[in-house]
C-alpha cells in the first residue's frame, strides 16, 4: 500500500536495497554518496540544507506538496526543515551525492543581512550552483583543506543566492543574529541536558519569543528542533561505532530507544537499525 507521498506507508517496512558511503566531511558539512533502488527514504526533514546531484538514474521526491525529480545535470536543493521523501524513478535505481550543509555557513558567507536562499521547486539547473557543487564533490573520498572548504562554501552560498528568487525569504524585522547564534552555541553543547526557552532568554538577554522567531529566521528551524538534531548527530556516530541502541538513546538525551527511533526515522527517513545496516554495507 502506498501513501500519498509515494512511499510505503507502513513505517516498519524496510527501506529498499542500496548502500550509503559516509564520505569525508568538515565541520557543518556532511558529505555522502549513495545508491538506492525502489523507495529509499520515508517522509522526513532535517535542519540542514540538503544539496545534491544525481549521478545516474532518476531520484524522485515529494517536496512542499509537489513531485520533483533529480536527474544528471540538475541540483537538488532542499530547504532546512522541509518535509520530503526519496525514491527511485526507474527500475535501475539512482546513484547520487549529497551534502548536508549547516545554514550558519551560508549565513556567514552571504552576510547576516541576507535571508537564507530558497529554491521553491527543490531542483535547479543554475550553472553557477552546478559548478560550485562540482568542486565540493570532487575527490569525495579525500578530506578538504580548510581554505579549500571555505572557498567551496562561499561558492555554494553564492550559487544558492543566484539560483533562488531575488527576494528570498525575509523576516518581518531584522533578526538579532548574535542572540540567535549565542542560543545556538549553547544548544549545540548542551550534551543531552533539558533546555528551556526561559534559559535561552536569560542567556542571551533577548525576549524569548523574539529569540524563537529570530532563531527560525537565521537558522531555518526552531530551537527545539535544533537541539533534537544535535542529539541525533551524536546518536548516528555512536550507532555506526556499534553501540547498543538502548544505551545510545540514554546517552544522547532521549527517554528510551523508542523515543530515539521515532525522532531518527522522522529526521533521516529510516530507523537507526536500517541506518547502521546501510552504512556498514560499504565497510
Amino acid at each position: 500500500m502506498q501513501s500519498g507521498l509515494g512511499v510505503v506507508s507502513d513505517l516498519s517496512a524496510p527501506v529498499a536495497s542500496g548502500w550509503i558511503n559516509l564520505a569525508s566531511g568538515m565541520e557543518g558539512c556532511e558529505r555522502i554518496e549513495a545508491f538506492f533502488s525502489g523507495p529509499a527514504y520515508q517522509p522526513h526533514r532535517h535542519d540542514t540544507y540538503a544539496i545534491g546531484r544525481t549521478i545516474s538514474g532518476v531520484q524522485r521526491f515529494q517536496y512542499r506538496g509537489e513531485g520533483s525529480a533529480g536527474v544528471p545535470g540538475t541540483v537538488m536543493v532542499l530547504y532546512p526543515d522541509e518535509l520530503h521523501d526519496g525514491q527511485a524513478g526507474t527500475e535501475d535505481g539512482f546513484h547520487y551525492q549529497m551534502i548536508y550543509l549547516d545554514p550558519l555557513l551560508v549565513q556567514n558567507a552571504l552576510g547576516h543581512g541576507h535571508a537564507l536562499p530558497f529554491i521553491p521547486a527543490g531542483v535547479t539547473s543554475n550553472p553557477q550552483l552546478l559548478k560550485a557543487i562540482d568542486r565540493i564533490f570532487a575527490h569525495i573520498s579525500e578530506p578538504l583543506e580548510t581554505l579549500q572548504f571555505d572557498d567551496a562554501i562561499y561558492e555554494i552560498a553564492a550559487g544558492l543566492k543566484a539560483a533562488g528568487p531575488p527576494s528570498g525569504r525575509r523576516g518581518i524585522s531584522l533578526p538579532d543574529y548574535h542572540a540567535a547564534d549565542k542560543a545556538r552555541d549553547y544548544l549545540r553543547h548542551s550534551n543531552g541536558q533539558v533546555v528551556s526557552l526561559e534559559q535561552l532568554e536569560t542567556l542571551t538577554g533577548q525576549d524569548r519569543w523574539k529569540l524563537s522567531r529570530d532563531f527560525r529566521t537565521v537558522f531555518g528551524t526552531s530551537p527545539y528542533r535544533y537541539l533534537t538534531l544535535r542529539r541525533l548527530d551524536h546518536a548516528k556516530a555512536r550507532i555506526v561505532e556499534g553501540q547498543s541502541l538502548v544505551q545510545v538513546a540514554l546517552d544522547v538525551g532521549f527517554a528510551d530507544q523508542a523515543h530515539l527511533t521515532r525522532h531518527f526515522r522522522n529526521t533521516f527517513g529510516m530507523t537507526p537499525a536500517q541506518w547502521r545496516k546501510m552504512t556498514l554495507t560499504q565497510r
Side-chain angles (χ1 to χ4, degrees), residues 117-132:
F118 178 68
I119 313 299
V123 177
T124 178
S125 56
N126 179 273
Q128 184 176 345
L129 186 55
L130 278 165
K131 184 178 180 181

Side-chain angles (χ1 to χ4, degrees), residues 179-223:
D181 192 42
K182 191 171 185 178
R184 174 187 182 275
D185 188 64
Y186 182 81
L187 292 171
R188 183 183 177 191
H189 296 97
S190 63
N191 298 321
Q193 298 176 4
V194 175
V195 181
S196 69
L197 196 55
E198 183 179 5
Q199 286 177 271
L200 297 180
E201 180 181 61
T202 301
L203 173 73
T204 63
Q206 180 58 270
D207 173 78
R208 68 187 70 181
W209 300 117
K210 176 169 172 51
L211 177 63
S212 183
R213 293 193 301 271
D214 290 350
F215 197 99
R216 288 168 166 81
T217 299
V218 174
F219 302 119
T221 193
S222 71

Side-chain angles (χ1 to χ4, degrees), residues 11 42-44 261-271:
L11 295 182
Q42 298 168 7
H44 65 286
T261 297
R262 184 173 73 255
H263 280 288
F264 198 100
R265 184 167 48 209
N266 290 342
T267 301
F268 304 117
M270 61 180 68
T271 67

Side-chain angles (χ1 to χ4, degrees), residues 10-11 14 16 54 56 66 72 76 78 94 128 137 145 155 160 172 186 188 198 202 233 240 257 259-260 282:
D10 178 6
L11 295 182
T54 303
S56 64
E66 297 183 1
M76 295 170 288
L78 308 181
F94 63 97
Q128 184 176 345
F137 284 131
E145 294 184 42
E155 291 169 357
L160 288 171
I172 296 174
Y186 182 81
R188 183 183 177 191
E198 183 179 5
T202 301
D233 285 342
V240 172
Q257 183 178 339
H259 191 206
L260 165 65
Q282 285 297 93

Side-chain angles (χ1 to χ4, degrees), residues 238-279:
R238 292 168 183 250
I239 290 167
V240 172
E241 290 171 359
Q243 296 185 23
S244 74
L245 297 182
V246 173
Q247 192 61 49
V248 169
L250 297 177
D251 286 349
V252 302
F254 292 103
D256 51 30
Q257 183 178 339
H259 191 206
L260 165 65
T261 297
R262 184 173 73 255
H263 280 288
F264 198 100
R265 184 167 48 209
N266 290 342
T267 301
F268 304 117
M270 61 180 68
T271 67
Q274 290 165 339
W275 168 263
R276 174 181 284 162
K277 179 180 179 180
M278 287 289 186
T279 55

